[in-house]
Amino acid sequence: MEALVNDRWRGEFELADTGAYQYTLQAWLDPFKSWREGLAKKMAAGQDVTLDRLIGAELIEKVAARASGKERRLLSRFAAALRSDDADEENPITEELAALMEKFPDRSRAATYDKVLTVEVDREKAGFGAWYEIFPRSCAGHPGKHGTLRDCEKRLPYIAAMGFDVLYLPPIHPIGRSFRKGKNNELLGDPDDVGSPWAIGSDEGGHKAIHPQLGTLEDFKQLIAKAKEWGIEIALDIAFQCTPDHPYVKEHPEWFRKRPDGSIQYAENPPKKYQDIYPLNFETENWKELWKELRSVFFFWCEQGVRLFRVDNPHTKPFPFWEWVIHEVKMKYPDALFLAEAFTRPKVMYRLAKLGFSQSYTYFAWRNTKAELTEYFTELTQTEVADFFRPNLWPNTPDILTEYLQTGGRPAFMTRLVLAATLGANYGIYGPAFELCENVAREPGSEEYLNSEKYEIRNWNFQDPASLREFIGRVNRSRRENKALQSDRSLRFHQVDNEQLICFSKQTEDRSNVILTVVNLDPRYKQSGWVELPLEEFGLNPKQPFQAHDLLTDAHYLWRGPRNYVELNPHSVPAHIFRLSHMIQ
Amino acid sequence: MEALVNDRWRGEFELADTGAYQYTLQAWLDPFKSWREGLAKKMAAGQDVTLDRLIGAELIEKVAARASGKERRLLSRFAAALRSDDADEENPITEELAALMEKFPDRSRAATYDKVLTVEVDREKAGFGAWYEIFPRSCAGHPGKHGTLRDCEKRLPYIAAMGFDVLYLPPIHPIGRSFRKGKNNELLGDPDDVGSPWAIGSDEGGHKAIHPQLGTLEDFKQLIAKAKEWGIEIALDIAFQCTPDHPYVKEHPEWFRKRPDGSIQYAENPPKKYQDIYPLNFETENWKELWKELRSVFFFWCEQGVRLFRVDNPHTKPFPFWEWVIHEVKMKYPDALFLAEAFTRPKVMYRLAKLGFSQSYTYFAWRNTKAELTEYFTELTQTEVADFFRPNLWPNTPDILTEYLQTGGRPAFMTRLVLAATLGANYGIYGPAFELCENVAREPGSEEYLNSEKYEIRNWNFQDPASLREFIGRVNRSRRENKALQSDRSLRFHQVDNEQLICFSKQTEDRSNVILTVVNLDPRYKQSGWVELPLEEFGLNPKQPFQAHDLLTDAHYLWRGPRNYVELNPHSVPAHIFRLSHMIQ
């Protein structure tokens, strides 16, 4: 460790393998070093050091007693030399002796930090990935027809062409029949309604089964294999809640809360009732059995080859459960990763991250202005939050169609996509609703989609010429080809003299890759302004012109000095993703 | 406790008596409150609450089982009412029931904060005091004559007239003869040299004895009593180190470090040797015996009536010793206070404060510019440091004659006095050197006084017309008469458009007393500028004129609005201490 100012010390270590590492800090006195320093000063001042030599000999003899073999003999010889009267007047301490003394420190009175600290090393996907969420039952390609996992396979080339490397599926388990919701979340649906995938469990099975209309376990394993061929990893949704038809209800009624009439307590948020959902009682007397069963759900899907889990509403279940189950799964499957879908208070989101979640959803969807984005992403990337919390940025989800997307048209979708993909090394979209710019809400003031796929099958028009598929492909390619965009630590915001323009950069540690993003936040009007760049921090020579290569349009600009002009029309492309460099490379 | 934003809560409690208090935090679920809230919402929505009433009855019955007597019967009656079918449709929860339920919380699954926190309540002197340091042996009033504690009594009216309420004496114990230092810290003095009071211990006794030339224990007790009549409390210096002549050396050689030749290790900082001082070995095998003996030193002086201890160099002794001994002394003498003379790194000074020291010396002596003073005192009063560290500000000490005082003449002394007395509710001076503006250093670049009282008797000219005694009296009177100056928490710095002028305020919580200090930091030239004041924070109406009454010159200024002009001539009075108020009071 290296001493800094004001009694602070700094040390570094490198960890090569994935897994959890623990460390702490220990400090001890090194009387030999103090003695050695004093001896040198006294000899330089010509003082008598007879007694000091004897003190040194004693120190060395104590250490010799802790050593053995050759080292012990060597130390004893050094001590004897210090004791001998006929020693010459040269400083008797050699580097060999100093190294030996350092090898056998006396830690009997060492002070040890009272905390054991943990570093978790995850695989690279934890830090960098582009997620795509799709409802497999909408993949049939014919209006009204229930899609299957096999149909989903057919969409892989399309998803891969857009550059996504994670395909996240809402729950694929049997859907309950009791109190099944109708279209647009109607309280009681028709008999032919497909229900919500998050209403898990029927006679056909629970969290380890596959909804029969989607296919078989074999189909699922084949989807994993095919996706892998396209460079895509499958992420499953883990939503620990049951319908009244879930096998757990019959087999383990003691895992649920009972009401005084013997019936099982459904979810409620008075006066709202969710009679199709029975929450599990994590504090049941049989909690150990319940927790083990839930752990076995993760184990089961890991055995099928899944390593990515998007966990539904983890903040409504106990912290100790997540701490335990994530640790247990990672012990067996160190490459397992967990994305927390917790839209709640910051402290709770950060707590989930600290106890084991690899990534988390964020408030990104509701941060729209330059001030909001700057403040939030400065907190996420420049404070201690960056040490434990990995943001995953979603401009939309099946639950979230923001006002900005509802009202801003196609430019709003482009703007939010570029922001998500460049502010966050991890980001995702819920498609095809996103690339097809679906923006009709169920009612004014609501963030719910009209005719939401949560409750019905949708048939999407992939031939829509307004689709953003190619634009998304360009954005994801710029992420893959530029290491600067593959982490969040280097994010810095820069001045622009226009409140509608936001400008930020990311760069690699060696500055060999510098990406500058400028986005027009106004989805209606052209905006222009002067950006102010810290060229020296980018490793650019402020006295030489440099190139700004726009990865979205392939345009090349020759810039000079820190202030440069930008102009963005939301109705063509509302953003620049520049690679900055001197021309000769 | 009251809920703030982002999962933070705040609570307050008042502590009336001095002593150490411990507290921690506990949180538990209150299912009754949740149930009550849900019930009210359901009833408002006209829902059937038959089952909810039964759930409530169960909750109440569980609590009834923990209650007894009348309360138990009451609770059971409430439960029965909820269970009865013929209950009316009114909300059955009364405030009486709610209060009873709150009285018997179920804490069986409570979460308790893993730390126990301590608040120490000290008597008022800990927070507000004006210290005066004097060498009793210089109090005889005749050149060369050794002063006594009786002579010291004669100086009390003078000290009280200046407004000091603590009289701090350097060690009053027998001074060793071996290797006794001569005048101006000469290595070997003459036989008639008086030696340094910090060279403690001779045949005549150690830390519980009084130097015979100063007088007797009876004289000392009389000094305490006489001082009390003048409103002055005596502070003793506790310096845990021994000369070779200290009785401990003969009686307990095992309390010191031995060298290989059997001699005792003196203090050294190679190549410097301090052969007149033997450091105690706090890590000796007999440390328990040693620590108890040192505790008995505090007990001894407490028994004589001393409650203020200025501890010499505590940072060179182990933290656990101070933590233990201060706790032990305070258990027996809760009004004992400890001033740490630790001029070392900030972390170490703060650590000493956290483990028990009531006050600490500071870097004030070396903070001279506006930027330095603003930064340092903002740290001390506006950050978490204020929660544990009470600064005591000394412009000079027998060891510290700063360059600013050496070169700035009388105006420099006035400037530093006003800064110490108004920035710090606790401050002190080493006199009469201070009020007589003694400013000759032993050699250029040194902060040591020439002919320092540490090594010889000085005879001071109290009739010097340049003495600052009256000026100091005015400053101390303004402190006594203005509560704003009696604590540090409200300190705020204000803008002045001149780098040589510093301006800051203190005020009482109710804003009934607002003190504004403006100081000219330049001891040579007149300086003027415009100060900018936050009138509303002072409780002043910005639309009305207000009075600035200078407590040093008794001048009254009529000010208007936030910007006002000041002009200070160092050769008359280099500072204003204003009381601000509207004229009609």
PDB file of all heavy atoms in Angstrom, chain A residues 344-366:
ATOM      1  N   THR A 344     -38.294   1.515  -7.366  1.00  0.00           N
ATOM      2  CA  THR A 344     -38.679   1.942  -6.023  1.00  0.00           C
ATOM      3  C   THR A 344     -37.700   3.005  -5.552  1.00  0.00           C
ATOM      4  O   THR A 344     -36.990   3.598  -6.374  1.00  0.00           O
ATOM      5  CB  THR A 344     -38.761   0.717  -5.076  1.00  0.00           C
ATOM      6  OG1 THR A 344     -39.117   1.144  -3.767  1.00  0.00           O
ATOM      7  CG2 THR A 344     -37.435  -0.025  -5.014  1.00  0.00           C
ATOM      8  N   ARG A 345     -37.653   3.275  -4.227  1.00  0.00           N
ATOM      9  CA  ARG A 345     -36.793   4.352  -3.739  1.00  0.00           C
ATOM     10  C   ARG A 345     -35.311   4.005  -3.969  1.00  0.00           C
ATOM     11  O   ARG A 345     -34.926   2.851  -3.930  1.00  0.00           O
ATOM     12  CB  ARG A 345     -37.038   4.571  -2.253  1.00  0.00           C
ATOM     13  CG  ARG A 345     -38.412   5.144  -1.948  1.00  0.00           C
ATOM     14  CD  ARG A 345     -39.335   4.134  -1.311  1.00  0.00           C
ATOM     15  NE  ARG A 345     -38.805   3.653  -0.056  1.00  0.00           N
ATOM     16  CZ  ARG A 345     -39.154   2.520   0.530  1.00  0.00           C
ATOM     17  NH1 ARG A 345     -40.016   1.692  -0.080  1.00  0.00           N
ATOM     18  NH2 ARG A 345     -38.651   2.165   1.674  1.00  0.00           N
ATOM     19  N   PRO A 346     -34.483   5.015  -4.198  1.00  0.00           N
ATOM     20  CA  PRO A 346     -33.068   4.765  -4.516  1.00  0.00           C
ATOM     21  C   PRO A 346     -32.367   3.884  -3.488  1.00  0.00           C
ATOM     22  O   PRO A 346     -31.611   2.974  -3.857  1.00  0.00           O
ATOM     23  CB  PRO A 346     -32.436   6.160  -4.545  1.00  0.00           C
ATOM     24  CG  PRO A 346     -33.539   7.151  -4.534  1.00  0.00           C
ATOM     25  CD  PRO A 346     -34.826   6.461  -4.227  1.00  0.00           C
ATOM     26  N   LYS A 347     -32.594   4.136  -2.192  1.00  0.00           N
ATOM     27  CA  LYS A 347     -31.884   3.357  -1.172  1.00  0.00           C
ATOM     28  C   LYS A 347     -32.189   1.868  -1.317  1.00  0.00           C
ATOM     29  O   LYS A 347     -31.321   1.026  -1.094  1.00  0.00           O
ATOM     30  CB  LYS A 347     -32.317   3.793   0.233  1.00  0.00           C
ATOM     31  CG  LYS A 347     -31.928   5.187   0.585  1.00  0.00           C
ATOM     32  CD  LYS A 347     -30.595   5.212   1.307  1.00  0.00           C
ATOM     33  CE  LYS A 347     -30.304   6.611   1.776  1.00  0.00           C
ATOM     34  NZ  LYS A 347     -28.913   6.987   1.603  1.00  0.00           N
ATOM     35  N   VAL A 348     -33.429   1.543  -1.638  1.00  0.00           N
ATOM     36  CA  VAL A 348     -33.806   0.137  -1.768  1.00  0.00           C
ATOM     37  C   VAL A 348     -33.170  -0.462  -3.019  1.00  0.00           C
ATOM     38  O   VAL A 348     -32.651  -1.585  -2.996  1.00  0.00           O
ATOM     39  CB  VAL A 348     -35.347   0.009  -1.793  1.00  0.00           C
ATOM     40  CG1 VAL A 348     -35.754  -1.428  -2.055  1.00  0.00           C
ATOM     41  CG2 VAL A 348     -35.944   0.510  -0.487  1.00  0.00           C
ATOM     42  N   MET A 349     -33.142   0.305  -4.104  1.00  0.00           N
ATOM     43  CA  MET A 349     -32.511  -0.189  -5.331  1.00  0.00           C
ATOM     44  C   MET A 349     -31.021  -0.438  -5.092  1.00  0.00           C
ATOM     45  O   MET A 349     -30.459  -1.437  -5.542  1.00  0.00           O
ATOM     46  CB  MET A 349     -32.734   0.809  -6.460  1.00  0.00           C
ATOM     47  CG  MET A 349     -34.224   0.899  -6.830  1.00  0.00           C
ATOM     48  SD  MET A 349     -34.632   2.209  -8.009  1.00  0.00           S
ATOM     49  CE  MET A 349     -33.828   1.599  -9.495  1.00  0.00           C
ATOM     50  N   TYR A 350     -30.382   0.490  -4.368  1.00  0.00           N
ATOM     51  CA  TYR A 350     -28.949   0.336  -4.104  1.00  0.00           C
ATOM     52  C   TYR A 350     -28.692  -0.844  -3.165  1.00  0.00           C
ATOM     53  O   TYR A 350     -27.702  -1.566  -3.302  1.00  0.00           O
ATOM     54  CB  TYR A 350     -28.379   1.630  -3.521  1.00  0.00           C
ATOM     55  CG  TYR A 350     -28.414   2.799  -4.490  1.00  0.00           C
ATOM     56  CD1 TYR A 350     -28.332   4.113  -4.066  1.00  0.00           C
ATOM     57  CD2 TYR A 350     -28.534   2.572  -5.868  1.00  0.00           C
ATOM     58  CE1 TYR A 350     -28.361   5.176  -4.961  1.00  0.00           C
ATOM     59  CE2 TYR A 350     -28.565   3.631  -6.770  1.00  0.00           C
ATOM     60  CZ  TYR A 350     -28.485   4.929  -6.308  1.00  0.00           C
ATOM     61  OH  TYR A 350     -28.505   5.967  -7.205  1.00  0.00           O
ATOM     62  N   ARG A 351     -29.612  -1.037  -2.224  1.00  0.00           N
ATOM     63  CA  ARG A 351     -29.455  -2.155  -1.289  1.00  0.00           C
ATOM     64  C   ARG A 351     -29.501  -3.494  -2.044  1.00  0.00           C
ATOM     65  O   ARG A 351     -28.698  -4.383  -1.786  1.00  0.00           O
ATOM     66  CB  ARG A 351     -30.584  -2.087  -0.253  1.00  0.00           C
ATOM     67  CG  ARG A 351     -30.595  -3.208   0.735  1.00  0.00           C
ATOM     68  CD  ARG A 351     -29.631  -2.949   1.853  1.00  0.00           C
ATOM     69  NE  ARG A 351     -29.501  -4.122   2.708  1.00  0.00           N
ATOM     70  CZ  ARG A 351     -28.483  -4.369   3.469  1.00  0.00           C
ATOM     71  NH1 ARG A 351     -27.472  -3.523   3.499  1.00  0.00           N
ATOM     72  NH2 ARG A 351     -28.432  -5.436   4.211  1.00  0.00           N
ATOM     73  N   LEU A 352     -30.443  -3.618  -2.970  1.00  0.00           N
ATOM     74  CA  LEU A 352     -30.545  -4.851  -3.763  1.00  0.00           C
ATOM     75  C   LEU A 352     -29.248  -5.093  -4.534  1.00  0.00           C
ATOM     76  O   LEU A 352     -28.766  -6.222  -4.649  1.00  0.00           O
ATOM     77  CB  LEU A 352     -31.738  -4.769  -4.722  1.00  0.00           C
ATOM     78  CG  LEU A 352     -33.119  -4.846  -4.045  1.00  0.00           C
ATOM     79  CD1 LEU A 352     -34.213  -4.390  -5.003  1.00  0.00           C
ATOM     80  CD2 LEU A 352     -33.408  -6.265  -3.548  1.00  0.00           C
ATOM     81  N   ALA A 353     -28.677  -4.020  -5.055  1.00  0.00           N
ATOM     82  CA  ALA A 353     -27.413  -4.159  -5.779  1.00  0.00           C
ATOM     83  C   ALA A 353     -26.311  -4.636  -4.850  1.00  0.00           C
ATOM     84  O   ALA A 353     -25.518  -5.514  -5.184  1.00  0.00           O
ATOM     85  CB  ALA A 353     -27.034  -2.822  -6.416  1.00  0.00           C
ATOM     86  N   LYS A 354     -26.277  -4.063  -3.638  1.00  0.00           N
ATOM     87  CA  LYS A 354     -25.216  -4.434  -2.697  1.00  0.00           C
ATOM     88  C   LYS A 354     -25.338  -5.879  -2.264  1.00  0.00           C
ATOM     89  O   LYS A 354     -24.329  -6.533  -1.988  1.00  0.00           O
ATOM     90  CB  LYS A 354     -25.278  -3.533  -1.455  1.00  0.00           C
ATOM     91  CG  LYS A 354     -24.721  -2.142  -1.703  1.00  0.00           C
ATOM     92  CD  LYS A 354     -24.814  -1.302  -0.431  1.00  0.00           C
ATOM     93  CE  LYS A 354     -24.306   0.106  -0.676  1.00  0.00           C
ATOM     94  NZ  LYS A 354     -24.505   0.950   0.506  1.00  0.00           N
ATOM     95  N   LEU A 355     -26.562  -6.399  -2.175  1.00  0.00           N
ATOM     96  CA  LEU A 355     -26.679  -7.764  -1.666  1.00  0.00           C
ATOM     97  C   LEU A 355     -26.589  -8.808  -2.758  1.00  0.00           C
ATOM     98  O   LEU A 355     -26.703 -10.005  -2.487  1.00  0.00           O
ATOM     99  CB  LEU A 355     -27.924  -7.926  -0.789  1.00  0.00           C
ATOM    100  CG  LEU A 355     -29.311  -7.584  -1.320  1.00  0.00           C
ATOM    101  CD1 LEU A 355     -29.833  -8.689  -2.201  1.00  0.00           C
ATOM    102  CD2 LEU A 355     -30.254  -7.373  -0.153  1.00  0.00           C
ATOM    103  N   GLY A 356     -26.380  -8.421  -4.006  1.00  0.00           N
ATOM    104  CA  GLY A 356     -26.066  -9.430  -4.997  1.00  0.00           C
ATOM    105  C   GLY A 356     -26.551  -9.220  -6.416  1.00  0.00           C
ATOM    106  O   GLY A 356     -26.019  -9.852  -7.331  1.00  0.00           O
ATOM    107  N   PHE A 357     -27.551  -8.356  -6.643  1.00  0.00           N
ATOM    108  CA  PHE A 357     -28.030  -8.199  -8.021  1.00  0.00           C
ATOM    109  C   PHE A 357     -26.927  -7.610  -8.902  1.00  0.00           C
ATOM    110  O   PHE A 357     -26.232  -6.678  -8.510  1.00  0.00           O
ATOM    111  CB  PHE A 357     -29.294  -7.333  -8.057  1.00  0.00           C
ATOM    112  CG  PHE A 357     -30.532  -8.114  -7.712  1.00  0.00           C
ATOM    113  CD1 PHE A 357     -31.008  -8.157  -6.412  1.00  0.00           C
ATOM    114  CD2 PHE A 357     -31.187  -8.841  -8.696  1.00  0.00           C
ATOM    115  CE1 PHE A 357     -32.134  -8.911  -6.099  1.00  0.00           C
ATOM    116  CE2 PHE A 357     -32.319  -9.594  -8.389  1.00  0.00           C
ATOM    117  CZ  PHE A 357     -32.790  -9.637  -7.092  1.00  0.00           C
ATOM    118  N   SER A 358     -26.779  -8.181 -10.101  1.00  0.00           N
ATOM    119  CA  SER A 358     -25.693  -7.792 -10.991  1.00  0.00           C
ATOM    120  C   SER A 358     -26.005  -6.495 -11.723  1.00  0.00           C
ATOM    121  O   SER A 358     -25.100  -5.741 -12.080  1.00  0.00           O
ATOM    122  CB  SER A 358     -25.465  -8.872 -12.046  1.00  0.00           C
ATOM    123  OG  SER A 358     -25.754 -10.152 -11.545  1.00  0.00           O
ATOM    124  N   GLN A 359     -27.282  -6.251 -11.979  1.00  0.00           N
ATOM    125  CA  GLN A 359     -27.711  -5.072 -12.710  1.00  0.00           C
ATOM    126  C   GLN A 359     -29.056  -4.626 -12.146  1.00  0.00           C
ATOM    127  O   GLN A 359     -29.716  -5.371 -11.443  1.00  0.00           O
ATOM    128  CB  GLN A 359     -27.925  -5.384 -14.201  1.00  0.00           C
ATOM    129  CG  GLN A 359     -26.716  -5.885 -14.935  1.00  0.00           C
ATOM    130  CD  GLN A 359     -27.021  -6.052 -16.425  1.00  0.00           C
ATOM    131  OE1 GLN A 359     -28.170  -5.925 -16.852  1.00  0.00           O
ATOM    132  NE2 GLN A 359     -25.990  -6.335 -17.192  1.00  0.00           N
ATOM    133  N   SER A 360     -29.454  -3.418 -12.520  1.00  0.00           N
ATOM    134  CA  SER A 360     -30.758  -2.936 -12.071  1.00  0.00           C
ATOM    135  C   SER A 360     -31.393  -2.040 -13.120  1.00  0.00           C
ATOM    136  O   SER A 360     -30.704  -1.300 -13.815  1.00  0.00           O
ATOM    137  CB  SER A 360     -30.607  -2.149 -10.772  1.00  0.00           C
ATOM    138  OG  SER A 360     -31.854  -1.598 -10.392  1.00  0.00           O
ATOM    139  N   TYR A 361     -32.701  -2.098 -13.233  1.00  0.00           N
ATOM    140  CA  TYR A 361     -33.450  -1.074 -13.951  1.00  0.00           C
ATOM    141  C   TYR A 361     -33.202   0.258 -13.234  1.00  0.00           C
ATOM    142  O   TYR A 361     -32.731   0.280 -12.087  1.00  0.00           O
ATOM    143  CB  TYR A 361     -34.950  -1.387 -13.927  1.00  0.00           C
ATOM    144  CG  TYR A 361     -35.406  -2.468 -14.892  1.00  0.00           C
ATOM    145  CD1 TYR A 361     -35.024  -3.795 -14.740  1.00  0.00           C
ATOM    146  CD2 TYR A 361     -36.244  -2.146 -15.957  1.00  0.00           C
ATOM    147  CE1 TYR A 361     -35.458  -4.781 -15.607  1.00  0.00           C
ATOM    148  CE2 TYR A 361     -36.696  -3.132 -16.834  1.00  0.00           C
ATOM    149  CZ  TYR A 361     -36.297  -4.452 -16.651  1.00  0.00           C
ATOM    150  OH  TYR A 361     -36.737  -5.416 -17.513  1.00  0.00           O
ATOM    151  N   THR A 362     -33.524   1.354 -13.904  1.00  0.00           N
ATOM    152  CA  THR A 362     -33.223   2.686 -13.362  1.00  0.00           C
ATOM    153  C   THR A 362     -34.417   3.615 -13.571  1.00  0.00           C
ATOM    154  O   THR A 362     -35.445   3.207 -14.109  1.00  0.00           O
ATOM    155  CB  THR A 362     -32.024   3.315 -14.089  1.00  0.00           C
ATOM    156  OG1 THR A 362     -32.445   3.609 -15.437  1.00  0.00           O
ATOM    157  CG2 THR A 362     -30.834   2.379 -14.120  1.00  0.00           C
ATOM    158  N   TYR A 363     -34.237   4.894 -13.191  1.00  0.00           N
ATOM    159  CA  TYR A 363     -35.264   5.905 -13.461  1.00  0.00           C
ATOM    160  C   TYR A 363     -35.079   6.549 -14.837  1.00  0.00           C
ATOM    161  O   TYR A 363     -35.715   7.556 -15.135  1.00  0.00           O
ATOM    162  CB  TYR A 363     -35.212   7.022 -12.407  1.00  0.00           C
ATOM    163  CG  TYR A 363     -35.228   6.574 -10.974  1.00  0.00           C
ATOM    164  CD1 TYR A 363     -34.405   7.174 -10.027  1.00  0.00           C
ATOM    165  CD2 TYR A 363     -36.086   5.565 -10.548  1.00  0.00           C
ATOM    166  CE1 TYR A 363     -34.424   6.779  -8.705  1.00  0.00           C
ATOM    167  CE2 TYR A 363     -36.108   5.161  -9.217  1.00  0.00           C
ATOM    168  CZ  TYR A 363     -35.276   5.766  -8.305  1.00  0.00           C
ATOM    169  OH  TYR A 363     -35.298   5.375  -6.995  1.00  0.00           O
ATOM    170  N   PHE A 364     -34.172   5.993 -15.645  1.00  0.00           N
ATOM    171  CA  PHE A 364     -33.862   6.604 -16.942  1.00  0.00           C
ATOM    172  C   PHE A 364     -35.123   7.003 -17.711  1.00  0.00           C
ATOM    173  O   PHE A 364     -35.203   8.102 -18.279  1.00  0.00           O
ATOM    174  CB  PHE A 364     -33.015   5.649 -17.781  1.00  0.00           C
ATOM    175  CG  PHE A 364     -32.918   6.027 -19.229  1.00  0.00           C
ATOM    176  CD1 PHE A 364     -32.215   7.164 -19.620  1.00  0.00           C
ATOM    177  CD2 PHE A 364     -33.550   5.269 -20.217  1.00  0.00           C
ATOM    178  CE1 PHE A 364     -32.134   7.526 -20.955  1.00  0.00           C
ATOM    179  CE2 PHE A 364     -33.472   5.628 -21.554  1.00  0.00           C
ATOM    180  CZ  PHE A 364     -32.773   6.768 -21.924  1.00  0.00           C
ATOM    181  N   ALA A 365     -36.141   6.108 -17.726  1.00  0.00           N
ATOM    182  CA  ALA A 365     -37.343   6.377 -18.536  1.00  0.00           C
ATOM    183  C   ALA A 365     -37.963   7.722 -18.201  1.00  0.00           C
ATOM    184  O   ALA A 365     -38.582   8.354 -19.058  1.00  0.00           O
ATOM    185  CB  ALA A 365     -38.363   5.251 -18.343  1.00  0.00           C
ATOM    186  N   TRP A 366     -37.778   8.178 -16.954  1.00  0.00           N
ATOM    187  CA  TRP A 366     -38.426   9.436 -16.539  1.00  0.00           C
ATOM    188  C   TRP A 366     -37.444  10.589 -16.399  1.00  0.00           C
ATOM    189  O   TRP A 366     -37.730  11.577 -15.752  1.00  0.00           O
ATOM    190  CB  TRP A 366     -39.183   9.210 -15.227  1.00  0.00           C
ATOM    191  CG  TRP A 366     -40.161   8.088 -15.346  1.00  0.00           C
ATOM    192  CD1 TRP A 366     -41.391   8.150 -15.932  1.00  0.00           C
ATOM    193  CD2 TRP A 366     -39.987   6.746 -14.900  1.00  0.00           C
ATOM    194  NE1 TRP A 366     -41.995   6.917 -15.888  1.00  0.00           N
ATOM    195  CE2 TRP A 366     -41.159   6.043 -15.256  1.00  0.00           C
ATOM    196  CE3 TRP A 366     -38.956   6.066 -14.259  1.00  0.00           C
ATOM    197  CZ2 TRP A 366     -41.318   4.678 -14.980  1.00  0.00           C
ATOM    198  CZ3 TRP A 366     -39.114   4.718 -13.979  1.00  0.00           C
ATOM    199  CH2 TRP A 366     -40.288   4.037 -14.330  1.00  0.00           C
TER     200      TRP A 366
END
